[in-house]
Each structure stands twice: as C-alpha cells, then as structure tokens.
Amino acid sequence: AQSVTQLGSHVSVSEGALVLLRCNYSSSVPPYLFWYVQYPNQGLQLLLKYTTGATLVKGINGFEAEFKKSETSFHLTKPSAHMSDAAEYFCAVSNSNTGNQFYFGTGTSLTVIP
Amino acid sequence: EAQVTQNPRYLITVTGKKLTVTCSQNMNHEYMSWYRQDPGLGLRQIYYSMNVEVTDKGDVPEGYKVSRKEKRNFPLILESPSPNQTSLYFCASSSRGPSSYGYTFGSGTRLTVV
C-alpha cells in the first residue's frame, strides 16, 4: 500500500525567505512522486515529478524537490518566496506497478508574508 | 489550448435531485478520473476510466456513477445527492496513466447539497 504524509497543514514564510514543504511517502516499490500546486479557485497544476534518474528535480516557478530514498522523503523547496507562491501544495505518490493508484497528501497551505 | 473543462463551476441543489457534472478533455487522453476534495482529507479518487467503456471504482465511489462513451467525455452522475456529497470536485486526465505522466486537472466544480 502507498501513502503520503505532508507535515504541516499550514506554513507561513516571509517574502524572500526559504520555502520548505515536507512530504514523506510510504511505498513497497520504487515510487513515482509528484508535487502539485492549487491556486485559489483553480484546479491543480503539476509543479514537478520524479520517476527515475536524477534525484534532484527542478520544476516550474523556481521550485525543486529531492527524492531521498533513505529518508522516504520528497520535500519541496524554493530559495526565495514570492507573494505569488501563496497557494495550496499537494504531494502525491504512485508507482510503475499500479498506474491507476495515485495517492495525494492532505495538502499544505502556504502563506507568504510581505 | 489543451485543457480539461468541467461544468458547472458552482452548483447548489437539493437532496435527492439527480445531477450531472460534465467533464471534457481535448488532448486525446486515454485515462480520466474524478476526485473530490474535502478540507483535511486532500483529494480522494471517486472513479476512473482507462479508456472508452472501461471504468472502475476509486476509493470513494458510493453514491456516484460515471460513464465513458466517448474518449473526450467523462461525466459524473449523482443519482440522489445527499448533503455529505457537498464537496469540491475535480476531473483530471492523463495520456497513458498518471503514474508516469501526471494529471491535467479541470478547474473544479463546487457542489452544495442542501
């Protein structure tokens, strides 16, 4: 069985500060990992994904995430927060064996303080 | 523009009155899915379809029906809505399976059942 845990349902950072959103996963086989962003009144957009290969993945809007197998983590970071980054962020896990099963975390709401 | 279109965006209805939420994608995607989003619970899969005439239950299928008669359309049907189906609903599509390719999401349908 697979699952995703996002630590912290609400995170606040100052504009220009580091953004760190935490995601830990549980999977019995090598996972595929995703981060999605949801802006107010919109659907989810894919930020980045890890399937195989390089463990540091770069996405849109300056975000990146690193797959750490030993820590079963896939934390999302951005060096300098911008006001436009305020949104809800979802981590998700799947794998090559069960393509129909795609599990989302409960989400982290990011607030950026001017 | 490649997109998933849901209608309506907002809907208020009464208990027991059948309703349909439409979903259409213009990307020739094989895989389509419906999710509901509730505070603190993240996104939970209702139904999915791997291709025309192929549908299967997700994690929370009770009280919902779907059909996939054409590749582009995947309507969600609530035969007898109840207040516990008040939620934000998302349709999503993927070219061959979300595990490798991720999802493209619609903008959502906010349903209130009174």
Side-chain angles (χ1 to χ4, degrees), chain A residues 32-34 36 38 41-46 49-51 88 90 94-107, chain B residues 9-10 31 35 37-38 40-45 48 50 59 88 90 97-108 110:
Chain A
Y32 294 166
L33 295 158
F34 302 79
Y36 281 84
Q38 183 182 27
N41 299 314
Q42 294 186 28
L44 282 73
Q45 299 175 34
L46 182 64
K49 66 178 181 180
Y50 167 80
T51 52
E88 185 106 18
F90 292 92
S94 185
N95 66 62
S96 59
N97 294 342
T98 56
N100 301 330
Q101 294 175 329
F102 195 86
Y103 294 98
F104 287 91
T106 54
Chain B
R9 290 292 307 274
Y10 301 91
Y31 193 100
Y35 284 87
Q37 182 181 9
D38 301 290
L41 297 177
L43 281 84
R44 295 178 292 169
Q45 190 179 47
Y48 63 92
M50 296 173 66
D59 297 315
L88 179 58
F90 287 102
S99 63
S100 296
Y101 297 90
Y103 275 119
T104 300
F105 280 85
S107 298
R110 186 167 293 280

Short mmCIF file of all heavy atoms in Angstrom, two decimals, chain A residues 32-34 36 38 41-46 49-51 88 90 94-107, chain B residues 9-10 31 35 37-38 40-45 48 50 59 88 90 97-108 110:
data_model
loop_
_atom_site.label_atom_id
_atom_site.label_comp_id
_atom_site.label_asym_id
_atom_site.label_seq_id
_atom_site.Cartn_x
_atom_site.Cartn_y
_atom_site.Cartn_z
N TYR A 32 6.89 6.76 -7.75
CA TYR A 32 6.89 7.95 -8.58
C TYR A 32 6.28 9.05 -7.70
O TYR A 32 5.25 8.83 -7.06
CB TYR A 32 6.04 7.78 -9.84
CG TYR A 32 6.57 6.77 -10.83
CD1 TYR A 32 5.77 6.30 -11.86
CD2 TYR A 32 7.87 6.29 -10.76
CE1 TYR A 32 6.23 5.40 -12.79
CE2 TYR A 32 8.35 5.37 -11.68
CZ TYR A 32 7.52 4.92 -12.69
OH TYR A 32 7.99 4.02 -13.62
N LEU A 33 6.87 10.21 -7.69
CA LEU A 33 6.48 11.26 -6.76
C LEU A 33 6.19 12.56 -7.50
O LEU A 33 6.88 12.90 -8.46
CB LEU A 33 7.58 11.48 -5.71
CG LEU A 33 7.82 10.27 -4.80
CD1 LEU A 33 9.21 10.34 -4.19
CD2 LEU A 33 6.75 10.19 -3.73
N PHE A 34 5.20 13.26 -7.01
CA PHE A 34 4.74 14.47 -7.69
C PHE A 34 4.45 15.57 -6.66
O PHE A 34 4.08 15.29 -5.52
CB PHE A 34 3.42 14.20 -8.44
CG PHE A 34 3.50 13.10 -9.47
CD1 PHE A 34 3.46 11.77 -9.10
CD2 PHE A 34 3.59 13.42 -10.81
CE1 PHE A 34 3.52 10.76 -10.04
CE2 PHE A 34 3.65 12.41 -11.77
CZ PHE A 34 3.62 11.08 -11.38
N TYR A 36 2.00 19.04 -6.74
CA TYR A 36 1.03 19.86 -7.46
C TYR A 36 0.77 21.13 -6.65
O TYR A 36 0.84 21.13 -5.42
CB TYR A 36 -0.30 19.11 -7.62
CG TYR A 36 -0.31 18.09 -8.72
CD1 TYR A 36 0.16 16.80 -8.50
CD2 TYR A 36 -0.79 18.40 -9.99
CE1 TYR A 36 0.15 15.85 -9.51
CE2 TYR A 36 -0.81 17.46 -11.01
CZ TYR A 36 -0.34 16.19 -10.76
OH TYR A 36 -0.35 15.26 -11.76
N GLN A 38 -2.14 24.33 -6.14
CA GLN A 38 -3.51 24.76 -6.39
C GLN A 38 -3.66 26.21 -5.96
O GLN A 38 -3.62 26.52 -4.76
CB GLN A 38 -4.50 23.87 -5.64
CG GLN A 38 -5.95 24.20 -5.91
CD GLN A 38 -6.90 23.34 -5.11
OE1 GLN A 38 -6.57 22.84 -4.03
NE2 GLN A 38 -8.09 23.13 -5.65
N ASN A 41 -9.36 29.03 -6.25
CA ASN A 41 -10.40 28.87 -7.26
C ASN A 41 -9.90 28.28 -8.57
O ASN A 41 -10.49 28.54 -9.63
CB ASN A 41 -11.09 30.21 -7.53
CG ASN A 41 -11.75 30.76 -6.30
OD1 ASN A 41 -12.44 30.04 -5.58
ND2 ASN A 41 -11.53 32.04 -6.03
N GLN A 42 -8.84 27.51 -8.49
CA GLN A 42 -8.32 26.87 -9.70
C GLN A 42 -8.11 25.38 -9.45
O GLN A 42 -8.14 24.91 -8.31
CB GLN A 42 -7.00 27.52 -10.13
CG GLN A 42 -7.13 28.95 -10.57
CD GLN A 42 -5.83 29.50 -11.12
OE1 GLN A 42 -5.00 28.74 -11.65
NE2 GLN A 42 -5.65 30.80 -11.02
N GLY A 43 -7.89 24.66 -10.53
CA GLY A 43 -7.52 23.26 -10.42
C GLY A 43 -6.06 23.10 -10.06
O GLY A 43 -5.34 24.07 -9.88
N LEU A 44 -5.63 21.86 -9.95
CA LEU A 44 -4.24 21.58 -9.59
C LEU A 44 -3.35 21.63 -10.82
O LEU A 44 -3.75 21.18 -11.90
CB LEU A 44 -4.13 20.20 -8.94
CG LEU A 44 -4.55 20.08 -7.49
CD1 LEU A 44 -6.06 20.14 -7.34
CD2 LEU A 44 -4.01 18.79 -6.89
N GLN A 45 -2.16 22.16 -10.63
CA GLN A 45 -1.16 22.20 -11.71
C GLN A 45 0.06 21.42 -11.28
O GLN A 45 0.49 21.52 -10.13
CB GLN A 45 -0.73 23.63 -12.00
CG GLN A 45 -1.81 24.57 -12.43
CD GLN A 45 -1.27 25.99 -12.57
OE1 GLN A 45 -0.11 26.19 -12.95
NE2 GLN A 45 -2.09 26.97 -12.26
N LEU A 46 0.64 20.68 -12.21
CA LEU A 46 1.84 19.92 -11.91
C LEU A 46 3.03 20.86 -11.76
O LEU A 46 3.34 21.64 -12.66
CB LEU A 46 2.10 18.91 -13.03
CG LEU A 46 3.31 18.00 -12.84
CD1 LEU A 46 3.12 17.09 -11.64
CD2 LEU A 46 3.54 17.18 -14.10
N LYS A 49 7.89 16.39 -11.03
CA LYS A 49 7.69 14.97 -10.77
C LYS A 49 9.03 14.25 -10.79
O LYS A 49 9.98 14.66 -11.47
CB LYS A 49 6.74 14.35 -11.80
CG LYS A 49 7.29 14.33 -13.21
CD LYS A 49 6.30 13.65 -14.16
CE LYS A 49 6.87 13.61 -15.58
NZ LYS A 49 5.94 12.97 -16.53
N TYR A 50 9.08 13.18 -10.04
CA TYR A 50 10.22 12.28 -10.05
C TYR A 50 9.72 10.89 -10.43
O TYR A 50 8.80 10.36 -9.80
CB TYR A 50 10.90 12.22 -8.67
CG TYR A 50 11.87 11.07 -8.59
CD1 TYR A 50 13.14 11.18 -9.13
CD2 TYR A 50 11.50 9.86 -8.01
CE1 TYR A 50 14.03 10.12 -9.09
CE2 TYR A 50 12.37 8.80 -7.96
CZ TYR A 50 13.63 8.93 -8.51
OH TYR A 50 14.51 7.87 -8.48
N THR A 51 10.33 10.31 -11.46
CA THR A 51 10.01 8.92 -11.81
C THR A 51 11.26 8.07 -11.68
O THR A 51 11.31 7.13 -10.89
CB THR A 51 9.40 8.82 -13.21
OG1 THR A 51 10.26 9.47 -14.16
CG2 THR A 51 8.03 9.48 -13.26
N GLU A 88 -2.09 26.31 -2.21
CA GLU A 88 -2.11 25.00 -1.54
C GLU A 88 -1.24 24.06 -2.36
O GLU A 88 -1.32 24.05 -3.59
CB GLU A 88 -3.55 24.46 -1.49
CG GLU A 88 -3.70 23.17 -0.72
CD GLU A 88 -4.36 23.37 0.64
OE1 GLU A 88 -5.00 24.42 0.81
OE2 GLU A 88 -4.24 22.48 1.49
N PHE A 90 0.18 20.07 -2.92
CA PHE A 90 -0.12 18.67 -2.69
C PHE A 90 1.02 17.80 -3.18
O PHE A 90 1.48 17.94 -4.32
CB PHE A 90 -1.40 18.25 -3.42
CG PHE A 90 -2.65 18.87 -2.87
CD1 PHE A 90 -3.13 20.06 -3.40
CD2 PHE A 90 -3.35 18.27 -1.83
CE1 PHE A 90 -4.28 20.64 -2.90
CE2 PHE A 90 -4.50 18.85 -1.33
CZ PHE A 90 -4.96 20.03 -1.86
N SER A 94 2.79 7.50 -6.65
CA SER A 94 2.31 6.38 -7.44
C SER A 94 3.51 5.49 -7.72
O SER A 94 4.57 5.70 -7.15
CB SER A 94 1.66 6.88 -8.73
OG SER A 94 1.08 5.80 -9.43
N ASN A 95 3.33 4.49 -8.56
CA ASN A 95 4.48 3.69 -8.98
C ASN A 95 4.17 2.99 -10.29
O ASN A 95 3.04 3.01 -10.76
CB ASN A 95 4.91 2.70 -7.89
CG ASN A 95 3.87 1.64 -7.63
OD1 ASN A 95 3.53 0.86 -8.52
ND2 ASN A 95 3.35 1.60 -6.42
N SER A 96 5.17 2.37 -10.84
CA SER A 96 5.03 1.79 -12.18
C SER A 96 4.15 0.55 -12.19
O SER A 96 3.61 0.17 -13.21
CB SER A 96 6.41 1.42 -12.74
OG SER A 96 7.04 0.49 -11.87
N ASN A 97 3.99 -0.06 -11.02
CA ASN A 97 3.22 -1.29 -10.97
C ASN A 97 1.72 -1.06 -10.85
O ASN A 97 0.93 -1.95 -11.17
CB ASN A 97 3.67 -2.15 -9.79
CG ASN A 97 5.09 -2.64 -9.97
OD1 ASN A 97 5.62 -2.63 -11.08
ND2 ASN A 97 5.70 -3.04 -8.89
N THR A 98 1.36 0.07 -10.33
CA THR A 98 -0.06 0.32 -10.06
C THR A 98 -0.43 1.68 -10.60
O THR A 98 -0.78 2.60 -9.85
CB THR A 98 -0.36 0.25 -8.56
OG1 THR A 98 0.50 1.18 -7.88
CG2 THR A 98 -0.14 -1.13 -8.03
N GLY A 99 -0.38 1.81 -11.91
CA GLY A 99 -0.59 3.12 -12.52
C GLY A 99 -1.92 3.75 -12.23
O GLY A 99 -2.08 4.94 -12.34
N ASN A 100 -2.93 2.94 -11.87
CA ASN A 100 -4.22 3.50 -11.57
C ASN A 100 -4.32 4.07 -10.17
O ASN A 100 -5.27 4.76 -9.85
CB ASN A 100 -5.30 2.43 -11.73
CG ASN A 100 -5.31 1.88 -13.15
OD1 ASN A 100 -4.98 2.59 -14.09
ND2 ASN A 100 -5.67 0.63 -13.29
N GLN A 101 -3.39 3.73 -9.34
CA GLN A 101 -3.44 4.18 -7.96
C GLN A 101 -2.49 5.35 -7.78
O GLN A 101 -1.28 5.23 -7.95
CB GLN A 101 -3.06 3.04 -7.02
CG GLN A 101 -4.08 1.92 -7.03
CD GLN A 101 -3.65 0.74 -6.20
OE1 GLN A 101 -2.46 0.46 -6.09
NE2 GLN A 101 -4.60 0.05 -5.62
N PHE A 102 -3.07 6.45 -7.45
CA PHE A 102 -2.34 7.72 -7.38
C PHE A 102 -2.83 8.41 -6.13
O PHE A 102 -3.98 8.84 -6.06
CB PHE A 102 -2.69 8.53 -8.63
CG PHE A 102 -1.80 9.69 -8.92
CD1 PHE A 102 -0.63 9.51 -9.63
CD2 PHE A 102 -2.16 10.95 -8.52
CE1 PHE A 102 0.18 10.59 -9.93
CE2 PHE A 102 -1.35 12.04 -8.81
CZ PHE A 102 -0.18 11.86 -9.53
N TYR A 103 -1.98 8.49 -5.11
CA TYR A 103 -2.44 8.96 -3.81
C TYR A 103 -1.91 10.35 -3.50
O TYR A 103 -0.71 10.61 -3.60
CB TYR A 103 -1.99 7.97 -2.73
CG TYR A 103 -2.66 6.64 -2.86
CD1 TYR A 103 -2.01 5.58 -3.47
CD2 TYR A 103 -3.95 6.43 -2.39
CE1 TYR A 103 -2.62 4.35 -3.62
CE2 TYR A 103 -4.57 5.20 -2.52
CZ TYR A 103 -3.90 4.17 -3.13
OH TYR A 103 -4.51 2.96 -3.28
N PHE A 104 -2.83 11.22 -3.09
CA PHE A 104 -2.48 12.58 -2.72
C PHE A 104 -2.35 12.72 -1.22
O PHE A 104 -3.05 12.05 -0.45
CB PHE A 104 -3.56 13.56 -3.19
CG PHE A 104 -3.57 13.80 -4.67
CD1 PHE A 104 -4.34 13.02 -5.51
CD2 PHE A 104 -2.81 14.82 -5.24
CE1 PHE A 104 -4.36 13.23 -6.88
CE2 PHE A 104 -2.83 15.04 -6.60
CZ PHE A 104 -3.59 14.25 -7.42
N GLY A 105 -1.47 13.61 -0.79
CA GLY A 105 -1.44 14.01 0.60
C GLY A 105 -2.59 14.96 0.89
O GLY A 105 -3.36 15.32 0.00
N THR A 106 -2.68 15.38 2.13
CA THR A 106 -3.79 16.23 2.55
C THR A 106 -3.56 17.70 2.26
O THR A 106 -4.44 18.52 2.49
CB THR A 106 -4.10 16.03 4.04
OG1 THR A 106 -2.89 16.24 4.77
CG2 THR A 106 -4.62 14.63 4.32
N GLY A 107 -2.38 18.03 1.78
CA GLY A 107 -2.13 19.40 1.35
C GLY A 107 -1.48 20.27 2.41
O GLY A 107 -1.67 20.08 3.61
N ARG B 9 -19.27 25.29 -12.78
CA ARG B 9 -18.25 25.61 -11.78
C ARG B 9 -18.84 25.61 -10.38
O ARG B 9 -18.17 25.25 -9.42
CB ARG B 9 -17.63 26.98 -12.06
CG ARG B 9 -16.74 27.05 -13.28
CD ARG B 9 -15.45 26.23 -13.08
NE ARG B 9 -14.73 26.56 -11.88
CZ ARG B 9 -13.84 27.55 -11.77
NH1 ARG B 9 -13.59 28.33 -12.80
NH2 ARG B 9 -13.21 27.76 -10.63
N TYR B 10 -20.07 26.05 -10.28
CA TYR B 10 -20.74 26.10 -8.98
C TYR B 10 -22.15 25.52 -9.16
O TYR B 10 -22.81 25.78 -10.16
CB TYR B 10 -20.85 27.53 -8.46
CG TYR B 10 -19.52 28.21 -8.29
CD1 TYR B 10 -18.96 28.96 -9.32
CD2 TYR B 10 -18.80 28.10 -7.10
CE1 TYR B 10 -17.72 29.57 -9.16
CE2 TYR B 10 -17.58 28.71 -6.94
CZ TYR B 10 -17.04 29.44 -7.97
OH TYR B 10 -15.82 30.05 -7.82
N TYR B 31 -6.81 8.21 -20.21
CA TYR B 31 -7.11 8.00 -18.80
C TYR B 31 -7.81 9.22 -18.23
O TYR B 31 -7.33 10.35 -18.37
CB TYR B 31 -5.80 7.75 -18.05
CG TYR B 31 -5.93 7.21 -16.66
CD1 TYR B 31 -5.75 5.87 -16.40
CD2 TYR B 31 -6.22 8.06 -15.59
CE1 TYR B 31 -5.86 5.36 -15.12
CE2 TYR B 31 -6.34 7.57 -14.32
CZ TYR B 31 -6.15 6.23 -14.08
OH TYR B 31 -6.26 5.73 -12.81
N TYR B 35 -12.10 13.21 -8.81
CA TYR B 35 -11.68 13.32 -7.42
C TYR B 35 -12.63 14.28 -6.70
O TYR B 35 -13.20 15.18 -7.29
CB TYR B 35 -10.27 13.91 -7.31
CG TYR B 35 -9.17 12.95 -7.65
CD1 TYR B 35 -8.74 12.79 -8.97
CD2 TYR B 35 -8.54 12.21 -6.66
CE1 TYR B 35 -7.72 11.91 -9.28
CE2 TYR B 35 -7.52 11.33 -6.95
CZ TYR B 35 -7.12 11.19 -8.26
OH TYR B 35 -6.11 10.32 -8.57
N GLN B 37 -12.44 16.83 -3.24
CA GLN B 37 -11.50 17.45 -2.32
C GLN B 37 -12.28 17.98 -1.12
O GLN B 37 -13.20 18.80 -1.27
CB GLN B 37 -10.75 18.60 -3.00
CG GLN B 37 -9.72 19.26 -2.11
CD GLN B 37 -9.02 20.42 -2.79
OE1 GLN B 37 -9.39 20.86 -3.88
NE2 GLN B 37 -7.97 20.92 -2.18
N ASP B 38 -11.89 17.55 0.07
CA ASP B 38 -12.53 17.98 1.30
C ASP B 38 -11.47 18.44 2.28
O ASP B 38 -10.37 17.86 2.32
CB ASP B 38 -13.34 16.82 1.91
CG ASP B 38 -14.41 16.31 0.97
OD1 ASP B 38 -15.39 17.06 0.76
OD2 ASP B 38 -14.27 15.20 0.42
N GLY B 40 -8.88 18.89 4.99
CA GLY B 40 -8.22 17.93 5.87
C GLY B 40 -8.11 16.52 5.32
O GLY B 40 -7.44 15.68 5.92
N LEU B 41 -8.75 16.28 4.19
CA LEU B 41 -8.73 14.94 3.61
C LEU B 41 -7.99 14.89 2.27
O LEU B 41 -7.78 13.80 1.72
CB LEU B 41 -10.14 14.41 3.42
CG LEU B 41 -10.97 14.24 4.69
CD1 LEU B 41 -12.39 13.79 4.35
CD2 LEU B 41 -10.31 13.24 5.64
N GLY B 42 -7.62 16.02 1.75
CA GLY B 42 -6.94 16.03 0.46
C GLY B 42 -7.87 15.62 -0.66
O GLY B 42 -9.08 15.83 -0.60
N LEU B 43 -7.31 15.02 -1.69
CA LEU B 43 -8.10 14.56 -2.83
C LEU B 43 -8.28 13.05 -2.75
O LEU B 43 -7.33 12.30 -2.54
CB LEU B 43 -7.40 14.89 -4.14
CG LEU B 43 -7.52 16.32 -4.61
CD1 LEU B 43 -6.48 17.20 -3.95
CD2 LEU B 43 -7.38 16.40 -6.13
N ARG B 44 -9.51 12.63 -2.94
CA ARG B 44 -9.82 11.21 -2.94
C ARG B 44 -10.47 10.84 -4.26
O ARG B 44 -11.37 11.53 -4.75
CB ARG B 44 -10.74 10.87 -1.77
CG ARG B 44 -10.11 11.08 -0.40
CD ARG B 44 -11.09 10.79 0.72
NE ARG B 44 -12.16 11.78 0.75
CZ ARG B 44 -13.26 11.65 1.48
NH1 ARG B 44 -13.45 10.56 2.20
NH2 ARG B 44 -14.17 12.61 1.47
N GLN B 45 -10.02 9.72 -4.80
CA GLN B 45 -10.50 9.31 -6.12
C GLN B 45 -11.88 8.67 -6.03
O GLN B 45 -12.11 7.78 -5.20
CB GLN B 45 -9.51 8.35 -6.75
CG GLN B 45 -9.78 8.06 -8.22
CD GLN B 45 -8.75 7.12 -8.80
OE1 GLN B 45 -8.41 6.10 -8.22
NE2 GLN B 45 -8.22 7.48 -9.96
N TYR B 48 -12.43 6.12 -12.01
CA TYR B 48 -11.51 6.39 -13.08
C TYR B 48 -11.87 5.55 -14.30
O TYR B 48 -12.63 4.58 -14.21
CB TYR B 48 -10.05 6.15 -12.66
CG TYR B 48 -9.72 4.73 -12.29
CD1 TYR B 48 -9.22 3.85 -13.24
CD2 TYR B 48 -9.88 4.29 -10.98
CE1 TYR B 48 -8.92 2.55 -12.90
CE2 TYR B 48 -9.57 2.99 -10.63
CZ TYR B 48 -9.08 2.13 -11.59
OH TYR B 48 -8.77 0.83 -11.25
N MET B 50 -9.90 3.95 -17.86
CA MET B 50 -8.65 3.77 -18.60
C MET B 50 -8.84 3.93 -20.10
O MET B 50 -7.88 4.06 -20.84
CB MET B 50 -8.07 2.39 -18.29
CG MET B 50 -7.67 2.22 -16.84
SD MET B 50 -7.18 0.55 -16.45
CE MET B 50 -5.70 0.40 -17.44
N ASP B 59 -11.51 5.18 -4.53
CA ASP B 59 -11.57 4.96 -3.09
C ASP B 59 -12.92 5.29 -2.47
O ASP B 59 -13.28 4.75 -1.43
CB ASP B 59 -10.48 5.79 -2.40
CG ASP B 59 -9.09 5.36 -2.84
OD1 ASP B 59 -8.86 4.15 -2.89
OD2 ASP B 59 -8.26 6.25 -3.13
N LEU B 88 -15.82 19.81 -3.25
CA LEU B 88 -15.21 20.36 -4.45
C LEU B 88 -14.75 19.19 -5.31
O LEU B 88 -13.98 18.35 -4.84
CB LEU B 88 -14.03 21.26 -4.08
CG LEU B 88 -13.25 21.93 -5.22
CD1 LEU B 88 -14.18 22.78 -6.07
CD2 LEU B 88 -12.13 22.78 -4.63
N PHE B 90 -13.08 17.52 -8.84
CA PHE B 90 -12.15 17.75 -9.93
C PHE B 90 -12.16 16.56 -10.88
O PHE B 90 -12.10 15.41 -10.47
CB PHE B 90 -10.72 17.93 -9.41
CG PHE B 90 -10.50 19.24 -8.73
CD1 PHE B 90 -10.47 19.31 -7.35
CD2 PHE B 90 -10.32 20.39 -9.47
CE1 PHE B 90 -10.27 20.53 -6.72
CE2 PHE B 90 -10.12 21.61 -8.85
CZ PHE B 90 -10.09 21.68 -7.46
N GLY B 97 -1.62 7.26 -18.21
CA GLY B 97 -1.65 6.80 -16.82
C GLY B 97 -0.94 7.81 -15.96
O GLY B 97 0.16 8.24 -16.29
N PRO B 98 -1.53 8.19 -14.87
CA PRO B 98 -0.97 9.28 -14.05
C PRO B 98 0.34 8.91 -13.38
O PRO B 98 1.08 9.81 -12.99
CB PRO B 98 -2.07 9.53 -13.02
CG PRO B 98 -2.81 8.24 -12.93
CD PRO B 98 -2.78 7.67 -14.32
N SER B 99 0.63 7.64 -13.26
CA SER B 99 1.84 7.27 -12.52
C SER B 99 3.08 7.82 -13.19
O SER B 99 4.01 8.25 -12.53
CB SER B 99 1.95 5.76 -12.39
OG SER B 99 2.09 5.15 -13.65
N SER B 100 3.13 7.82 -14.49
CA SER B 100 4.30 8.33 -15.19
C SER B 100 4.11 9.74 -15.71
O SER B 100 5.06 10.52 -15.78
CB SER B 100 4.66 7.42 -16.37
OG SER B 100 5.02 6.15 -15.92
N TYR B 101 2.90 10.07 -16.10
CA TYR B 101 2.67 11.31 -16.82
C TYR B 101 2.01 12.39 -15.98
O TYR B 101 1.93 13.54 -16.39
CB TYR B 101 1.82 11.04 -18.06
CG TYR B 101 2.50 10.12 -19.04
CD1 TYR B 101 2.35 8.74 -18.97
CD2 TYR B 101 3.33 10.64 -20.03
CE1 TYR B 101 2.99 7.91 -19.86
CE2 TYR B 101 3.97 9.81 -20.94
CZ TYR B 101 3.79 8.44 -20.84
OH TYR B 101 4.43 7.62 -21.73
N GLY B 102 1.51 12.04 -14.81
CA GLY B 102 0.80 13.04 -14.02
C GLY B 102 -0.56 13.34 -14.62
O GLY B 102 -0.97 12.76 -15.62
N TYR B 103 -1.27 14.24 -14.00
CA TYR B 103 -2.61 14.60 -14.40
C TYR B 103 -2.68 16.04 -14.93
O TYR B 103 -1.92 16.90 -14.48
CB TYR B 103 -3.55 14.56 -13.21
CG TYR B 103 -4.16 13.21 -12.86
CD1 TYR B 103 -3.91 12.63 -11.63
CD2 TYR B 103 -5.00 12.57 -13.75
CE1 TYR B 103 -4.48 11.42 -11.29
CE2 TYR B 103 -5.58 11.36 -13.42
CZ TYR B 103 -5.32 10.79 -12.19
OH TYR B 103 -5.89 9.60 -11.86
N THR B 104 -3.65 16.26 -15.81
CA THR B 104 -4.11 17.61 -16.11
C THR B 104 -5.48 17.74 -15.48
O THR B 104 -6.36 16.91 -15.73
CB THR B 104 -4.21 17.84 -17.64
OG1 THR B 104 -2.92 17.65 -18.22
CG2 THR B 104 -4.70 19.24 -17.93
N PHE B 105 -5.66 18.78 -14.68
CA PHE B 105 -6.90 18.93 -13.91
C PHE B 105 -7.81 19.99 -14.53
O PHE B 105 -7.34 20.98 -15.11
CB PHE B 105 -6.59 19.35 -12.48
CG PHE B 105 -6.17 18.22 -11.60
CD1 PHE B 105 -4.85 17.81 -11.56
CD2 PHE B 105 -7.10 17.57 -10.80
CE1 PHE B 105 -4.46 16.76 -10.75
CE2 PHE B 105 -6.71 16.52 -9.98
CZ PHE B 105 -5.39 16.11 -9.95
N GLY B 106 -9.11 19.78 -14.34
CA GLY B 106 -10.07 20.83 -14.62
C GLY B 106 -10.07 21.85 -13.49
O GLY B 106 -9.36 21.69 -12.50
N SER B 107 -10.88 22.89 -13.65
CA SER B 107 -10.89 23.99 -12.68
C SER B 107 -11.75 23.71 -11.47
O SER B 107 -11.76 24.51 -10.53
CB SER B 107 -11.38 25.27 -13.37
OG SER B 107 -10.50 25.64 -14.41
N GLY B 108 -12.50 22.63 -11.50
CA GLY B 108 -13.26 22.24 -10.33
C GLY B 108 -14.73 22.62 -10.40
O GLY B 108 -15.12 23.57 -11.09
N ARG B 110 -17.75 23.25 -7.54
CA ARG B 110 -18.10 23.31 -6.12
C ARG B 110 -19.59 22.99 -6.00
O ARG B 110 -20.43 23.75 -6.44
CB ARG B 110 -17.78 24.67 -5.53
CG ARG B 110 -18.00 24.70 -4.02
CD ARG B 110 -17.40 25.93 -3.37
NE ARG B 110 -15.96 25.97 -3.43
CZ ARG B 110 -15.16 25.31 -2.60
NH1 ARG B 110 -15.65 24.53 -1.67
NH2 ARG B 110 -13.85 25.45 -2.71
#
